[in-house]
Each structure stands twice: as C-alpha cells, then as structure tokens.
Amino acid sequence: MTATKLSSPPPPATPAISETAPAAPAAGGGALFLGGLARRARSTTALAGLVGVAAFVLYTVYSWLQWSSFTIRSWDLGIFTQLAKDYSQFQAPIVSLKGQGYNLLGDHFHPLLVLLGPVYRVFPSAFTLLVLQNLLFAFSVAVISHLAIKRLGRIPGVCIGGAYALAWGLQSAIDSQFHEIAFAVPLLALSLCALMEEKWRSAWIWAALLVFIKEDLGLTVFVIGLVMALRARKPAGLWLAAWGVAWFVLATKVILPAMNPSDTWAYQSQLDLSGLLSDPASLFQKDKVTTVFLLVAITAGLSLFSPLASIVLPTLAWRFLSDLPAYWGQDWQYSAVLMPIVFCAAIDALSRRKVLDSARLRLLSGAAIALIAVSLTGQYAFNRLNDPATSFSQAGNASATRALAAVPNGVTVETDISLMSYLVDRTEVYWIGNKNPAPEYVLIDVSGRLGTPDSTAATESEARYPGTRFTTVYADGHYQVAKRDAG
C-alpha cells in the first residue's frame, strides 16, 4: 500500500490504492505526513478492532445460550475436548468417544490442535473450546475489516467487515460448536490479506500452516500458491503450491493410514469420483447449487471479479464429490473456511479492478453486502437470538443437572450425544454407538421415547454387556442413569 502526497490530493478518478510509490514529502512536512499516516493507521486498527469485538460478543452470547440450555449439536465438541484434555496433560490424543484407544491423529491430520492444550489446562471446560473458536473467528473479522477499511474507506469497510461477521458459513460453524477449522479461518484471513498487501513472506507462512489443521487444506494451499505465483511473478508461490500438495499426499497416504486403526485414510471412501462420472448431473443437485449460489450472493457477486475466488474450489470439490448429503449444503462447519476467501476476493475486486474503482460504487457495494448478510441471517443460526427464551429453552435444565450429578467424577460412563460434552471434563466418556468396554455408568436421553420404563438404561446396558448387572440410580421423563453393579 502506498501513500498519497499531502500537497496534491487525488482527483476522484484516481484509484484508491496506487500501484506506484508516491514522491517523498517535503522535508518540512515530513513529520506532519508521518504523523497523519500513524493516526490513520491507529484509527483503522481501532475501528477494525471494534468490529471484531462486537463479533466476539455476539458469537459468545450465542454459544452461552446453547451451553446454558444444554444444547449439544453433535459429538464433535466432546471429541475435541477429550483431545484438548490429553494435550493439556502432555499425552497423545487418545479419544475414547471414537473408540477405545483411538488416536485422533489417525482421523484427521490436525497437529496444530496441540495449541488447545495450554488453554484447556488453564480453563478446563468444554465451553472453553467454544469461546476460543469465537475468539479465532472474531480475530478473522478484525483482520478482514482492517483491510476493507484501509482499502475501501471507513463506511464500506465496516459494512463489509460486519457482513463477514454475519456470514452464513460462520453462523453455521458457531451453531455446530467446536471444530478444527476454528484455526483455519483466521489463518486464511491473515494469508489472503497479506497476499493482497503484497507481503509475500507473511502470506506464505500463514498459508503454509494450514496443512497442519486438516489434510484437505493442503489442496487449498496449493491453489493459494498458484494465485501468489500469478500475482507476485516469483517462484515462492510455486514452492507454496508444492508444499500444499506434498503435505496432502503425505497426510492421506502415509500419516493417517499409519495412525488409523483401519490402516487407511478414513474418509477416502467418501470421495465418489466414479459416481460423478457415471452421473454428471449429480453435480447440480439442489443443495450443491444453492451452496454455490449463496457463496456468490453473499458478496453481491463481487468475489467473481478476483482470482482469489478460485481458492474455494478444493473445498467445494471434496464436498460435492462426497456421497454424504451433509457435506453439500450450508449446515455444519464445512463452509466456514470459504467465508474469508470470498470476502477477501470481494475486497480485492473492489480495490484493484478499474471498472469497480469508484467511491460511490464502493459505498453502494458495502451497503449491499451488509444488507444481504443481514437478510440471510433470518435463515440461519443467529435468527434464534430473536426469541432466545424459545430457541434456548431452559425447561430441561433441572433434569439435566440432576442426571449429571448422579455420575461421580473419575468414572467411566457410556452416553449418547445429549450430555456428553458436560461429562468429558471429569469422566472417561464412551459413545453408546461404539463397541466399548463395560462402563461403570450409563446415561441416556429418553425424552423422545414416551412411556419408557425407569429401568430402560439398565436393561439395555445389560443386553449390550452380557453377564453384567446395572441398577438405575436416576430416572425421570428426560434422562436415565444406571450404575454397573460390583462383582
């Protein structure tokens, strides 16, 4: 980024970001010139920081409402809490929720999650992971807002930063609770913003770290490297592309099979390339088309004017090639990594394309993008904040609290998804759908099974573990807890 001479402000038609260096200011005005730049930088940073703080507060209010109403979306939060707990004790991530003795490094390649260990050691709670994810997402909001304000001006920049904070992909990820992509989102924001600022070394480093968050991100790094090579005209981008491909191959062909109990990459079978070749029309299934449309619409189509938009292709490819419908749509955390890409692409288009270089157009574009984000919020998770009493009902809290109190600290407990994230901090937890050793306690949610006898948890446990006896220690219309008899 270059500065404009103080003595001759640019005419309206001059691009917001000059591609050539300005002449040095006169000696007498040097201090004033540098002071003005410093004040502008501080103002931009403070404004971007406020947008990030506002996002963090919004995200954490939502997470607290989920947590305090015992709303658990999946077993991922429990899984990653067990991982964080092991790392905090300087142990390998042996996650019993995935199976007895299961090393989670054989599931996905995410060694960078070792950073969860120190945080969890200080704040040992599953809720800590939700707060940390919110903080990482909010940091990415501040990073993208800073670049948007710097490139496009205060009002358009704040509009785009706020729209990114409300992006449907981030909403769905926050609603889904913690996942490893929490670390990928800020790294992508840092890398792409550095790339647009032509800070090649920083862009390289931030992108290179992505390969240690999830194996498929190696292919995303490959495309980032190609974009960098095209823009920088330097071999560093090609080296980054090679780095990404090398780690993708190493992770999927060597590391994951070596650490997985099945001696294979667990998700390879989900890439149904033969199915696509036999039925090309499957690429145009409703959920897939809707996801692509919303990716374009959320930036009012501006992302299509930047080569950065191509970085979404690897993630969309593995999702759309999968035979699992959950990967195709807008739910869960799968689109979170796409949000910084499309918003950075939109900022890049507005600040570099001459056809889009107009202060009025930037203002209108920022307002349009913000309006789109707000309107889409009504279709996604944050819409629940309009009526938190209904969306996050506290009606079952007393029952959940009593059921949890019936399970002592330090025991082994088999459970379903309902309360597992509230047990993992103080017990060894198994998921009821796996083949597990006989646990000391069993806790199940029976709220959807009307007329269930109070002895259901005990009798079903005895059927799963022949030769054992269980006694009901807590039962109501929502939860049941059974204890394994001694002997």
Side-chain angles (χ1 to χ4, degrees):
M1 169 134 181
T2 58
T4 305
K5 290 190 291 184
L6 185 67
S7 58
S8 56
T14 300
I17 301 301
S18 173
E19 297 295 333
T20 59
L32 180 62
F33 178 81
L34 293 175
L37 284 180
R39 284 192 298 273
R40 184 182 299 177
R42 286 195 297 269
S43 175
T44 299
T45 301
L47 194 54
L50 285 175
V51 179
V53 168
F56 175 72
V57 171
L58 175 65
Y59 299 163
T60 304
V61 165
Y62 187 91
S63 294
W64 174 248
L65 288 171
Q66 277 190 321
W67 183 258
S68 62
S69 60
F70 293 92
T71 301
I72 297 300
R73 295 279 283 115
S74 75
W75 68 344
D76 283 338
L77 180 57
I79 286 171
F80 289 110
T81 302
Q82 287 190 331
L83 171 141
K85 184 177 180 180
D86 284 340
Y87 279 147
S88 73
Q89 298 169 356
F90 303 100
Q91 298 174 356
I94 306 302
V95 174
S96 57
L97 282 173
K98 292 284 287 186
Q100 187 179 23
Y102 193 101
N103 189 328
L104 202 63
L105 287 173
D107 185 51
H108 284 301
F109 184 64
H110 41 53
L112 200 63
L113 293 194
V114 71
L115 297 175
L116 293 175
V119 180
Y120 186 87
R121 192 174 184 89
V122 179
F123 304 104
S125 168
F127 184 69
T128 297
L129 272 64
L130 301 183
V131 175
L132 179 60
Q133 176 169 268
N134 295 341
L135 184 62
L136 291 168
F137 283 1
F139 177 74
S140 78
V141 171
V143 170
I144 288 177
S145 297
H146 185 273
L147 183 67
I149 295 167
K150 185 178 179 182
R151 285 289 185 95
L152 308 176
R154 289 189 178 187
I155 296 177
V158 169
C159 285
I160 290 176
Y164 170 70
L166 295 174
W168 55 265
L170 296 186
Q171 288 193 47
S172 295
I174 291 164
D175 181 56
S176 302
Q177 303 180 325
F178 188 86
H179 204 267
E180 67 252 284
I181 53 89
F183 288 92
V185 170
L187 286 179
L188 279 164
L190 286 166
S191 178
L192 297 180
C193 288
L195 190 153
M196 285 188 283
E197 292 283 82
E198 298 186 357
K199 298 176 181 178
W200 309 121
R201 180 178 298 178
S202 295
W204 206 104
I205 292 171
W206 295 127
L209 291 173
L210 289 166
V211 302
F212 303 122
I213 295 175
K214 197 162 173 273
E215 62 275 7
D216 66 274
L217 288 173
L219 299 179
T220 298
V221 173
F222 167 72
V223 181
I224 294 174
L226 295 182
V227 173
M228 184 186 296
L230 178 66
R231 183 162 291 189
R233 306 292 181 181
K234 293 179 180 179
L238 296 179
W239 283 112
L240 179 62
W243 168 272
V245 171
W247 274 103
F248 172 75
V249 173
L250 185 63
T252 58
K253 299 299 183 182
V254 180
I255 299 174
L256 289 172
M259 304 189 78
N260 188 279
S262 301
D263 299 320
T264 185
W265 177 31
Y267 300 92
Q268 183 172 347
S269 61
Q270 295 180 5
L271 300 180
D272 188 16
L273 182 58
S274 61
L276 176 65
L277 294 176
S278 62
D279 182 20
S282 65
L283 195 59
F284 300 96
Q285 288 164 317
K286 181 180 177 181
D287 284 345
K288 298 175 183 178
V289 172
T290 302
T291 295
V292 173
F293 171 77
L294 287 170
L295 277 177
V296 175
I298 199 169
T299 62
L302 289 169
S303 59
L304 296 178
F305 290 88
S306 169
L308 269 64
S310 62
I311 300 170
V312 306
L313 295 177
T315 297
L316 290 181
W318 75 256
R319 287 173 60 186
F320 291 175
L321 283 175
S322 172
D323 57 0
L324 293 181
Y327 290 161
W328 305 341
Q330 301 90 56
D331 294 331
W332 305 103
Q333 71 281 350
Y334 303 113
S335 294
V337 295
L338 304 179
M339 298 299 106
I341 298 171
V342 295
F343 275 87
C344 283
I347 296 168
D348 187 52
L350 280 171
S351 60
R352 289 179 62 90
R353 292 282 184 175
K354 290 184 179 180
V355 69
L356 300 174
D357 182 33
S358 158
R360 178 177 296 179
L361 181 58
R362 289 194 292 272
L363 184 60
L364 291 174
S365 297
I369 290 171
L371 183 62
I372 291 168
V374 171
S375 64
L376 286 175
T377 297
Q379 308 299 318
Y380 293 94
F382 291 172
N383 183 52
R384 299 186 180 100
L385 295 173
N386 291 326
D387 186 8
T390 301
S391 300
F392 304 98
S393 174
Q394 308 281 319
N397 283 19
S399 177
T401 301
R402 289 192 294 266
L404 290 170
V407 180
N409 293 343
V411 299
T412 58
V413 55
E414 187 177 70
T415 187
D416 49 29
I417 290 171
S418 59
L419 295 178
M420 66 167 49
S421 296
Y422 301 85
L423 290 165
V424 289
D425 299 318
R426 60 185 182 86
T427 64
E428 183 71 11
V429 183
Y430 296 98
W431 180 51
I432 205 166
N434 287 333
K435 293 182 179 179
N436 306 309
E440 296 171 90
Y441 283 79
V442 174
L443 186 157
I444 60 173
D445 182 348
V446 295
S447 59
R449 301 159 64 179
L450 297 179
T452 300
D454 289 350
S455 60
T456 298
T459 56
E460 290 182 354
S461 298
E462 290 171 356
R464 285 195 303 276
Y465 302 102
T468 62
R469 297 285 297 174
F470 284 83
T471 300
T472 301
V473 295
Y474 178 80
D476 62 18
H478 204 150
Y479 300 102
Q480 291 187 12
V481 179
K483 178 184 178 182
R484 191 182 75 201
D485 295 346

